[in-house]
Amino acid sequence: MNDMLRQIEPLIPALRRYARTLLRDRAGADDLVQDCLERAVNHWSQRRDDNPRAWIFTILHNLAITRLRSSASRPRHIAIDDAQEETFARAPSQEDGLRYRELLEAVARLPEDQKSVLLLATVEGLSYAETAGVLGVPIGTVMSRLSRARERLLKERDGDRGAQPVAQLRRVK
């Protein structure tokens, strides 16, 4: 039991980060992590590796996909007493805050397969092999989805500058 706790406890902040990014809801993400940890503890003997990181992220990812699919069919309800102040506050006027929000929105607009690969491989630091294991796809698919996600984010970021003509260098004889 102590060995299990020693291996799971350091993963909790990363699990919360990944869940919050997927769900974009703090309370829902915390509930998702709790459900994930409950499953991990109950099925601890079923893991196949000494390092449970990828296994636990797989559980979290599968639970998140199930939750997102089921919540897509019904409207989201937030009680006004439970709503956080940021929900009603104005966007920050600082440039960094705006860039951060734009980045989060751009990541949210990515297709689900690209978003998951991007978050697992870059934010959570999973290897391509671990990411492939979590998502149940080949490593080549992980690399191509990651490449497409990065390319799409760069295009969105440079969208305004992309319309300007680029100076061509010519050879002068």
Side-chain angles (χ1 to χ4, degrees):
M1 183 72 162
N2 286 336
D3 180 51
M4 176 179 54
L5 292 175
R6 186 175 42 81
Q7 291 183 27
I8 290 177
E9 191 173 359
L11 299 176
I12 293 173
L15 291 169
R16 289 182 76 201
R17 234 185 350 258
Y18 184 54
R20 284 182 180 176
T21 306
L22 286 177
L23 297 183
R24 298 182 62 94
D25 172 31
R26 184 179 301 241
D30 289 342
D31 290 344
L32 182 68
V33 170
Q34 184 174 349
D35 292 344
C36 171
L37 293 174
E38 180 182 353
R39 283 204 184 174
V41 168
N42 289 336
H43 300 285
W44 186 253
S45 62
Q46 295 177 1
R47 73 188 193 292
R48 295 186 186 124
D49 195 358
D50 288 339
N51 183 2
R53 182 179 173 96
W55 178 70
I56 292 175
F57 270 100
T58 302
I59 293 170
L60 181 73
H61 179 78
N62 291 338
L63 287 171
I65 294 301
T66 302
R67 189 166 292 179
L68 288 170
R69 285 181 183 156
S70 68
S71 69
S73 61
R74 60 188 131 109
R76 186 172 171 220
H77 173 73
I78 300 175
I80 195 146
D81 294 335
D82 295 337
Q84 296 183 357
E85 191 174 318
E86 300 91 53
T87 306
F88 302 107
R90 293 182 59 193
S93 60
Q94 296 85 4
E95 190 172 325
D96 290 342
L98 293 174
R99 285 186 184 151
Y100 178 71
R101 176 165 284 166
E102 288 172 357
L103 177 63
L104 288 179
E105 290 170 356
V107 169
R109 284 190 300 270
L110 288 173
E112 191 61 41
D113 56 347
Q114 292 178 11
K115 181 178 9 176
S116 296
V117 169
L118 181 74
L119 294 173
L120 290 171
T122 59
V123 176
E124 300 306 333
L126 268 63
S127 69
Y128 290 173
E130 290 173 328
T131 302
V134 167
L135 300 175
V137 297
I139 293 177
T141 303
V142 168
M143 293 189 294
S144 65
R145 286 179 182 174
L146 183 60
S147 174
R148 281 190 222 114
R150 287 176 175 162
E151 183 178 321
R152 189 168 173 175
L153 289 174
L154 284 173
K155 281 183 181 177
E156 283 197 34
R157 184 193 73 188
D158 297 336
D160 297 332
R161 287 181 253 166
Q164 297 174 351
V166 177
Q168 298 286 331
L169 295 178
R170 294 190 317 224
R171 189 176 192 182
V172 179
K173 294 184 180 183

